[in-house]
């Protein structure tokens, strides 16, 4: 009888875990649309045009009396949002671990971001300052909410399931991004048929991402559950907790070693994503429609790539699979250097290569890091993970820009990014992940 009861309890726990995992996937589904439609495709060009319409005769706008070239306003707004996120994340992470109440914090950050994104509908005329403020709020809110979302992974998936669960989450996000981007592109390209201007179509696309984000956030908020904090000593608030987090991470040097490797190769990934369109338009002479189709192709193939690499990790382990993906990134960039100008087909081939390794690289990095986090400190450590993602994402663009400035060639600029993947490979290969998992106080999976 006791055995039957134990089996029934285990079955119920497994069913509840699956239900919670399915709810968790939906936050990727909810907020990835912001990254795809807003940040990657529509907001940069549109906000720049709004800033230019408000610029003086010399091409400058003056937010808070500071002269800023209109063409740089979007980039500066993104940079400021990163600074805000880097300051806020460790404080929110410490509060989440101290109280165990992640879900209310996730709700607040998600809906602040969704509301700011929906508010972009009112970004018309010369309201560039409104656009900058909404961008900073939305981008920072998404970063903080993703930190909280990622910190659920060690709690909702046992070690042997994390690679698959993380990969499915990324796949959900890329699928949503592709689906909404298709609808956005139909509206944008055929705006006359819908009886709206091009600028109105863009504002509808921006606002729809916020509405999508807010609507589907209801699913994880319903299914995820809070847990009591397991680390009783987390009592210090605010700045003192931030300092304590830094000291605590120094006690886990192998975890820090992984973070350094991730910082390097992920900076390369983010730079390829942000600069590939510049390479396509300026060096290869491709049209805007070709570049948008390439973005859509990346989104679609990233779904299969994330799931496929998740399966590879079951056989070879997450670390080896990530190392293999870094080799694939290096080969892809090398091939990109030789792409002929004015040939969309080969650019689509390059986009396909990026899509196939993009989702899996990110998903498996997240699941691998989850094994290196001391129990009870998930949100704190994932705030450091998210900061390493966003807080150092300027190095790659800086190298790309400097290489172009020195050589005058975008081909040289794109090949320079190979350095991030080679160095990231070397650093990750040197991390003894099994020892790192043990040092963090976690069980070591059979394959990792």
């Amino acid at each position: 009888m006791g055995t039957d009861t134990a089996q029934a309890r285990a079955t119920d726990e497994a069913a509840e875990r699956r239900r919670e995992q399915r709810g968790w996937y939906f936050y990727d589904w909810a907020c990835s649309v912001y990254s795809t439609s807003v940040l990657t495709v529509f907001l940069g060009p549109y906000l720049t045009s709004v800033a230019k319409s408000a610029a003086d005769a010399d091409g400058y706008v003056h937010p808070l009396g500071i002269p800023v070239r209109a063409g740089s306003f979007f980039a500066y707004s993104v940079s400021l949002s990163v600074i805000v996120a880097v300051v806020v994340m460790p404080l929110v992470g410490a509060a989440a671990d101290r109280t165990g109440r992640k879900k209310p914090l996730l709700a607040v950050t998600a809906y602040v971001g969704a509301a700011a994104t929906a508010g972009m509908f009112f970004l018309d005329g010369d309201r560039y300052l409104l656009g900058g403020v909404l961008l900073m709020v939305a981008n920072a809110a998404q970063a903080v909410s993703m930190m909280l979302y990622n910190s659920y992974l060690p709690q909702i998936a046992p070690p042997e399931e994390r690679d698959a669960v993380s990969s499915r989450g990324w796949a959900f996000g890329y699928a949503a991004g592709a689906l909404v981007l298709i609808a956005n592109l139909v509206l944008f390209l055929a705006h006359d048929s819908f009886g709206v201007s091009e600028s109105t179509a863009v504002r509808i696309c921006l606002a729809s991402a916020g509405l999508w984000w807010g609507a589907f956030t209801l699913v994880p908020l319903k299914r995820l559950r809070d847990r009591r904090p397991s680390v009783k000593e987390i009592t210090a608030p605010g700045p003192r907790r931030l300092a304590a987090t830094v000291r605590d991470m120094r006690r886990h040097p192998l975890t820090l070693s992984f973070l350094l490797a991730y910082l390097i190769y992920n900076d390369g990934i983010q730079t390829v994503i942000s600069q590939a369109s510049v390479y396509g338009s300026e060096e290869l002479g491709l049209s805007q429609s070709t570049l948008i189709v390439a973005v859509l192709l990346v989104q679609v193939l990233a779904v299969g790539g994330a799931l496929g690499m998740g399966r590879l990790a079951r056989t070879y382990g997450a670390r080896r699979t990530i190392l293999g993906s870094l080799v694939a990134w290096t080969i892809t960039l090398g091939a990109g250097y030789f792409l002929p100008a004015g040939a969309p087909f080969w650019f689509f081939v390059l986009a396909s290569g990026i899509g196939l390794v993009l989702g899996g690289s990110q998903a498996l990095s997240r699941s691998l890091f989850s094994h290196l986090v001391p129990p009870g400190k998930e949100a704190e450590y994932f705030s450091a993970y998210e900061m390493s993602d966003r807080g150092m994402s300027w190095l790659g663009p800086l190298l790309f820009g400097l290489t172009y400035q020195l050589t005058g060639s975008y081909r040289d600029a794109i090949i320079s990014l190979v350095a991030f993947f080679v160095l990231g490979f070397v650093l990750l290969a040197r991390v003894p992940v099994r020892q790192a998992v043990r040092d963090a106080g976690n069980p070591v999976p059979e394959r990792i």
Side-chain angles (χ1 to χ4, degrees):
M1 191 62 137
T3 302
D4 292 341
T5 302
Q7 290 177 340
R9 187 182 300 112
T11 301
D12 290 344
E13 289 175 353
E16 175 60 27
R17 188 170 69 249
R18 296 284 185 273
R19 182 178 184 276
E20 197 169 7
Q21 288 170 0
R22 287 191 291 269
W24 185 79
Y25 300 148
F26 267 92
Y27 193 67
D28 247 323
W29 175 273
C31 77
S32 292
V33 169
Y34 167 82
S35 299
T36 304
S37 289
V38 177
L39 274 186
T40 304
V41 177
F42 289 110
L43 185 59
Y46 184 71
L47 182 55
T48 299
S49 70
V50 171
K52 287 182 177 180
S53 70
D56 59 22
D58 296 321
Y60 285 85
V61 290
H62 299 269
L64 304 178
I66 303 170
V68 174
R69 193 175 292 278
S72 300
F73 182 74
F74 173 73
Y76 288 149
S77 298
V78 172
S79 296
L80 285 174
S81 74
V82 171
I83 293 171
V84 172
V86 166
V87 170
V88 172
M89 273 192 290
L91 306 181
V92 174
D97 287 332
R98 186 175 67 250
T99 64
R101 293 177 59 78
K102 293 180 186 177
K103 194 156 69 169
L105 293 169
L106 177 62
V108 169
T109 53
Y111 281 107
V112 166
T117 306
M120 292 176 186
F121 179 79
F122 302 102
L123 177 56
D124 59 355
D126 59 358
R127 297 177 177 176
Y128 76 94
L129 194 55
L130 173 64
V133 170
L134 292 176
L135 168 59
M136 284 188 283
V137 172
N139 219 34
Q142 191 209 29
V144 178
S145 70
M146 283 300 294
M147 174 268 295
L148 293 164
Y149 163 74
N150 288 337
S151 71
Y152 272 100
L153 180 59
Q155 298 177 336
I156 65 171
E160 66 275 9
E161 294 182 4
R162 287 183 199 166
D163 292 340
V165 170
S166 183
S167 296
R168 289 188 198 114
W170 277 104
F172 263 62
Y174 282 115
L179 179 64
V180 174
L181 185 56
I182 290 172
N184 288 161
L185 291 179
V186 169
L187 174 61
F188 177 73
L189 296 175
H191 60 85
D192 288 335
S193 302
F194 292 98
V196 297
S197 66
E198 182 177 296
S199 64
T200 301
V202 171
R203 291 190 291 117
I204 291 172
C205 292
L206 295 173
S208 67
L211 296 176
W212 178 284
W213 185 355
F216 285 103
T217 294
L218 293 172
V219 179
L221 291 181
K222 182 177 181 180
R223 294 197 172 185
L224 291 173
R225 61 187 179 86
D226 284 331
R227 292 160 173 82
R228 291 182 178 180
S230 58
V231 180
K232 302 300 183 183
E233 68 267 20
I234 298 181
T235 56
R240 285 188 295 156
R241 186 59 227 157
L242 175 58
T245 301
V246 173
R247 287 195 302 271
D248 188 75
M249 292 195 74
R250 291 173 62 185
R251 294 173 47 235
H252 301 281
L254 296 181
T255 300
L256 282 176
S257 296
F258 171 81
L259 268 180
L260 177 60
Y262 174 75
L263 182 154
I264 297 296
Y265 69 73
N266 186 63
D267 198 6
I269 292 172
Q270 298 304 320
T271 307
V272 172
I273 293 170
S274 65
Q275 301 302 321
S277 60
V278 175
Y279 181 65
S281 61
E282 299 297 326
E283 184 69 34
L284 304 181
L286 303 176
S287 66
Q288 183 67 28
S289 59
T290 296
L291 299 176
I292 292 176
V293 171
V295 171
L296 181 58
L297 184 61
V298 169
Q299 293 293 122
V300 172
L301 291 177
V303 176
L307 296 176
M309 287 181 64
R311 292 190 181 96
L312 286 174
R314 296 179 198 169
T315 303
Y316 301 104
R319 176 173 168 272
R320 287 184 180 178
T321 307
I322 295 170
L323 290 172
S325 77
L326 298 181
V327 173
W329 274 107
T330 301
I331 295 171
T332 300
L333 287 183
Y337 178 85
F338 296 101
L339 287 187
F345 172 78
W346 291 111
F347 191 72
F348 291 149
V349 172
L350 178 70
S352 300
I354 291 173
L356 288 173
V357 294
L358 175 62
S361 303
Q362 296 170 316
L364 294 179
S365 296
R366 176 171 65 185
S367 62
L368 180 55
F369 182 70
S370 73
H371 295 286
L372 310 182
V373 177
K377 299 184 179 181
E378 293 84 5
E380 278 188 83
Y381 273 62
F382 268 104
S383 71
Y385 179 86
E386 197 72 16
M387 282 192 293
S388 72
D389 185 348
R390 298 173 186 268
M392 295 300 291
S393 57
W394 53 271
L395 284 173
L398 177 62
L399 178 61
F400 186 91
L402 286 175
T403 304
Y404 176 73
Q405 181 171 329
L406 294 173
T407 67
S409 169
Y410 281 106
R411 293 184 187 274
D412 292 338
I414 203 75
I415 201 68
S416 71
L417 301 179
V418 165
F420 288 91
F421 298 103
V422 172
L423 182 57
F425 180 98
V426 171
L427 292 175
L428 179 58
R430 294 175 54 132
V431 178
V433 291
R434 290 185 173 277
Q435 184 61 46
V437 174
R438 282 192 289 268
D439 289 352
N442 294 315
V444 181
E446 182 179 351
R447 295 192 183 278
I448 186 168

